[in-house]
Amino acid sequence: MENRRTYHGSCHCGAVKFRISSPEISSGVRCNCSICQRKGALMTPYIYSPEELVIEAGAEQLSVYQFGTGVAKHYFCKVCGIYPFHQTLRKAGYYRVNVGCIDGLEPLTMPVEVFDGRSL
């Protein structure tokens, strides 16, 4: 069993706060699908179950954007517009988190893998 730790995060204005239980996050993933390319966010390399991603505050401040099949759900804060996480297309109901929203991580210094979401 891998070592896990708790990470805390939020949107820019702090209206939405969450925590995740995760292996150490030391790299990120960028996707080339139409929405991810435009968002430019660096995502966690791990996919989290609903039990591993807990919204601690501001669930009522989240809005969701869906397109295409409607399976993926891209959440953003209605106050500041920041995108903290999304439910994935390939594993419905599971999440990836925007590394830039996680306290204490430096996404600009992390190694990056590119995921070919455009081909899904």
Side-chain angles (χ1 to χ4, degrees):
M1 185 169 169
E2 49 197 49
N3 288 331
R4 299 182 78 79
R5 63 173 281 199
T6 299
Y7 289 92
H8 294 271
S10 68
C11 62
H12 186 258
C13 71
V16 176
K17 296 183 186 318
F18 62 91
R19 73 176 184 268
I20 53 174
S21 172
S22 177
E24 181 180 2
I25 300 169
S26 59
S27 65
V29 175
R30 289 199 190 278
C31 176
N32 67 359
C33 78
S34 61
I35 191 170
C36 290
Q37 184 171 314
R38 285 167 175 80
K39 282 189 296 196
L42 184 65
M43 303 309 297
T44 55
Y46 307 107
I47 297 172
Y48 305 102
S49 71
E51 295 78 29
E52 294 169 313
L53 186 147
V54 177
I55 300 169
E56 297 180 312
E60 71 282 358
Q61 297 301 332
L62 286 169
S63 192
V64 65
Y65 175 71
Q66 295 172 268
F67 67 101
T69 64
V71 174
K73 296 177 181 169
H74 302 266
Y75 293 90
F76 61 94
C77 174
K78 292 188 273 188
V79 178
C80 66
I82 294 299
Y83 150 73
F85 45 80
H86 71 270
Q87 288 185 11
T88 69
L89 176 64
R90 293 190 313 162
K91 196 165 185 180
Y94 283 67
Y95 298 85
R96 282 197 193 260
V97 176
N98 180 347
V99 174
C101 291
I102 300 172
D103 298 341
L105 296 183
E106 296 294 336
L108 297 177
T109 64
M110 291 182 169
V112 177
E113 174 189 338
V114 177
F115 174 75
D116 187 13
R118 187 179 295 154
S119 296
L120 292 179

